[in-house]
């Protein structure tokens, strides 16, 4: 008897596709949702890794240009008032406000330092928002995917018990497929959630470091302009 049961169990397709094909419609939909969430999370991860790498590289290159000794007005004229780089946009925001703070006779309008600081703060806020765009998706996938997978598991186990009751049989060939299908949903949930949580934490920390670099640059730039204001 046991030999027959084992033979029947060995004939069952326990591959990922086989488990998916035998699953109920609800569990199939759950698995597809988790697969789509996983692909979406990885797309965001690769996009943000590329964007952060480009932002760090651009910040290093612009920092060299800024401290090369080139006059700031000439640097602004060269990069333009709407540059592509993130650090360049912060610099341009400060320099544009600096130019606007001069009267036609060359005298400065009162409160120039405060307006320059606010202009760069607004530019930094925009860049921070751009860097963090997409990260909530990773947080959502990381927090919800395990529960979606658990829902699929509960539903699959419930149907497995229903099948056991209908067949009045608890042998391995009857129990194993339903349990395996149910557990596959949990596995997919974890497969989607774990990378999303890991990279959400990493990318959030990377974003904070990049923004901190922008804030440091803005403070240094504001100090330079402050010296010119005082003189």
């Amino acid at each position: 008897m046991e030999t027959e049961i084992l033979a029947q169990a060995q004939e069952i397709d326990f591959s990922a596709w086989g488990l998916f094909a035998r699953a109920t419609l609800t569990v199939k939909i759950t698995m597809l949702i988790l697969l789509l969430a996983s692909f979406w999370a990885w797309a965001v991860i690769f996009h943000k890794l590329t964007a952060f790498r480009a932002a760090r590289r651009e910040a290093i290159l612009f920092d060299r240009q800024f401290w090369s000794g080139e006059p700031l007005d000439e640097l602004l004229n060269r990069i333009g008032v709407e540059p592509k780089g993130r650090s360049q946009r912060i610099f341009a925001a400060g320099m544009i406000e600096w130019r606007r703070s001069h009267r036609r006779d060359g005298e400065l309008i009162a409160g120039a330092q405060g307006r320059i600081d606010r202009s760069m703060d607004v530019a930094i806020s925009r860049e921070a928002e751009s860097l963090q765009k997409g990260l909530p998706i990773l947080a959502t996938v990381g927090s919800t995917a395990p529960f979606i997978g658990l829902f699929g598991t509960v539903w699959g186990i419930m149907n497995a018990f229903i099948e056991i009751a209908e067949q009045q049989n608890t042998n391995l060939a009857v129990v194993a497929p339903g349990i395996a299908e149910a557990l596959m949903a949990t596995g997919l949930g974890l497969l989607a959630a774990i990378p999303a949580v890991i990279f959400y934490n990493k990318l959030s920390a990377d974003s904070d470091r990049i923004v901190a670099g922008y804030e440091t640059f803005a403070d240094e730039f504001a100090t330079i302009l402050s010296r010119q204001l005082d003189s």
Side-chain angles (χ1 to χ4, degrees), residues 58 62 65 76 79-81 83-93 217:
E58 183 271 331
F62 180 73
Q65 294 175 342
L76 178 62
I79 66 175
V81 295
K84 295 181 179 180
R86 299 178 186 274
S87 299
Q88 293 175 345
R89 286 195 288 265
I90 296 169
F91 166 76
F217 165 75

Side-chain angles (χ1 to χ4, degrees), residues 26-27 30 147-157 181-183 185-186:
T26 301
V27 178
T30 301
F147 294 103
I148 296 174
L150 182 61
F151 167 76
T153 297
V154 171
W155 192 273
I157 290 176
E181 296 161 16
L183 292 177
T186 297

Side-chain angles (χ1 to χ4, degrees), residues 111-133:
Q113 184 68 54
R115 289 192 300 274
I116 292 169
D117 290 342
R118 285 193 294 273
S119 296
M120 288 193 291
D121 287 342
V122 170
I124 291 172
S125 297
R126 289 173 181 166
E127 299 306 328
E129 183 178 356
S130 175
L131 288 170
Q132 293 169 0
K133 186 178 181 181

Side-chain angles (χ1 to χ4, degrees), residues 23-209:
T24 62
L25 179 60
T26 301
V27 178
K28 285 181 179 177
I29 293 174
T30 301
M31 291 180 180
L32 289 175
I33 290 173
L34 291 171
L35 286 173
L36 289 174
S38 181
F39 284 126
W40 193 12
W42 278 109
V44 172
I45 288 167
F46 284 121
H47 173 70
K48 301 311 291 184
L49 287 173
T50 303
F52 285 7
R53 188 181 301 112
R56 286 191 290 266
R57 183 168 59 249
E58 183 271 331
I60 292 172
L61 292 175
F62 180 73
D63 193 60
R64 292 174 183 172
Q65 294 175 342
F66 181 79
W67 295 107
S68 65
E70 180 181 3
L72 299 181
D73 285 319
E74 293 182 10
L75 179 58
L76 178 62
N77 292 335
R78 183 158 59 83
I79 66 175
V81 295
E82 294 182 357
K84 295 181 179 180
R86 299 178 186 274
S87 299
Q88 293 175 345
R89 286 195 288 265
I90 296 169
F91 166 76
M95 281 300 297
I96 291 170
E97 187 58 41
W98 164 262
R99 288 181 173 180
R100 290 174 179 171
S101 296
H102 285 80
R103 299 193 186 97
R104 292 184 178 180
D105 59 3
E107 293 295 325
L108 278 168
I109 302 173
Q113 184 68 54
R115 289 192 300 274
I116 292 169
D117 290 342
R118 285 193 294 273
S119 296
M120 288 193 291
D121 287 342
V122 170
I124 291 172
S125 297
R126 289 173 181 166
E127 299 306 328
E129 183 178 356
S130 175
L131 288 170
Q132 293 169 0
K133 186 178 181 181
L135 295 185
I137 294 173
L138 298 182
T140 301
V141 172
S143 61
T144 60
F147 294 103
I148 296 174
L150 182 61
F151 167 76
T153 297
V154 171
W155 192 273
I157 290 176
M158 180 184 69
N159 282 278
F161 280 118
I162 292 173
E163 186 175 356
I164 290 171
E166 289 176 350
Q167 296 189 19
Q168 297 292 317
N169 192 346
T170 59
N171 67 46
L172 186 63
V174 174
V175 175
I179 300 300
E181 296 161 16
L183 292 177
M184 184 177 173
T186 297
L188 289 175
L190 295 176
L191 185 66
I194 292 173
V197 171
I198 291 173
F199 279 98
Y200 172 77
N201 292 330
K202 172 185 165 42
L203 294 172
S204 295
D206 289 347
S207 175
D208 291 341
R209 281 193 292 269

